[in-house]
Amino acid sequence: GQQVMQIPQYQHVQEGEDFTTYCNSSTTLSNIQWYKQRPGGHPVFLIQLVKSGEVKKQKRLTFQFGEAKKNSSLHITATQTTDVGTYFCAGPGSGGYNKLIFGAGTRLAVHP
Amino acid sequence: NAGVTQTPKFQVLKTGQSMTLQCAQDMNHNSMYWYRQDPGMGLRLIYYSASEGTTDKGEVPNGYNVSRLNKREFSLRLESAAPSQTSVYFCASRPTGYGYTFGSGTRLTVV
């Protein structure tokens, strides 16, 4: 079945350092979405990428969609303690875009 | 501006008991979803409803049933709870072609 894999599973950084999480799919994706979940909270939608090679920025966050539309990355510049949480990527499941298959997530810890 | 509302927030069940998790959205979204989240395993889709009157199985449907009562409400039922169903359950809705809005979750423990 379709799989969406994320690496690393966990990363801890010093405040001010950069952070990157990577997402890889076993199949070509029509789009990819990214979510953030704070500890004890629920996932919150960050962004959707649709085009091959697309790059989008949200303040210190940069999202990329690979040319082959099988991988994606999220890069955070100069992390802050407010960035703590788990970041998930998600792609459409087989049989239609109506359902998303989530990666296992990357948990980010930021030490002040 | 409630978004997606889930009840209850916490529940403890004994093995074999049944319960229904309620979910309602006020954003007029067609699609609604139930996911479970277990440590280190991300979010796994249980059931979804692409529109009122339709439901489909996701990755892990065994042991669950759903009802799309109307456009607003999508409930998840555990007929005979098992310890393996201890998890955090999230309901979500989405407009066509955009991101999910999740509820705050139900933390279920089956003892």
Side-chain angles (χ1 to χ4, degrees):
Chain A
Q2 180 188 1
Q3 287 188 320
V4 177
M5 292 158 287
Q6 273 186 266
I7 55 170
Q9 285 187 320
Y10 173 76
Q11 185 153 7
H12 64 91
V13 299
Q14 290 296 125
E15 190 172 18
E17 291 182 336
D18 292 356
F19 159 77
T20 304
T21 174
Y22 300 90
C23 181
N24 293 288
S25 171
S26 56
T27 60
T28 301
L29 300 171
S30 58
N31 65 83
I32 194 158
Q33 298 185 3
W34 285 91
Y35 292 78
K36 176 184 179 181
Q37 184 177 25
R38 295 183 186 275
H42 58 276
V44 174
F45 174 69
L46 294 176
I47 206 162
Q48 177 173 272
L49 305 173
V50 178
K51 298 177 183 177
S52 169
E54 188 170 13
V55 178
K56 286 189 175 180
K57 292 189 176 184
Q58 290 180 350
K59 297 183 180 178
R60 295 177 295 104
L61 277 62
T62 302
F63 304 84
Q64 291 189 314
F65 200 9
E67 294 289 342
K69 302 183 77 173
K70 295 182 73 173
N71 58 76
S72 181
S73 65
L74 159 59
H75 179 82
I76 301 178
T77 303
T79 54
Q80 300 175 358
T81 54
T82 53
D83 296 324
V84 165
T86 301
Y87 293 85
F88 294 97
C89 63
S94 58
Y97 74 92
N98 257 323
K99 55 183 181 179
L100 290 180
I101 303 301
F102 282 78
T106 296
R107 188 158 65 95
L108 173 65
V110 180
H111 301 291
Chain B
N1 191 17
V4 178
T5 303
Q6 288 184 240
T7 56
K9 293 191 183 303
F10 301 93
Q11 184 71 47
V12 178
L13 289 179
K14 294 183 178 178
T15 297
Q17 286 185 319
S18 62
M19 79 162 295
T20 300
L21 281 63
Q22 307 286 352
C23 176
Q25 53 97 4
D26 62 2
M27 297 171 287
N28 202 36
H29 292 167
N30 284 322
S31 301
M32 297 186 73
Y33 308 81
W34 278 103
Y35 283 85
R36 61 177 287 174
Q37 185 174 37
D38 302 297
M41 298 191 72
L43 293 141
R44 292 184 293 169
L45 181 63
I46 306 172
Y47 270 94
Y48 68 104
S49 171
S51 62
E52 185 179 356
T54 69
T55 61
D56 285 287
K57 295 179 180 179
E59 303 167 83
V60 289
N62 292 343
Y64 306 95
N65 284 301
V66 290
S67 296
R68 183 75 183 265
L69 304 171
N70 46 57
K71 192 170 186 178
R72 289 187 64 249
E73 299 172 287
F74 188 38
S75 62
L76 178 71
R77 183 161 178 83
L78 288 70
E79 290 291 350
S80 179
S84 61
Q85 294 178 306
T86 293
S87 189
V88 180
Y89 291 85
F90 288 103
C91 176
S93 71
R94 72 181 289 200
T96 302
Y98 202 60
Y100 286 5
T101 299
F102 282 88
S104 57
T106 296
R107 283 155 178 78
L108 175 66
T109 302
V110 183
V111 298

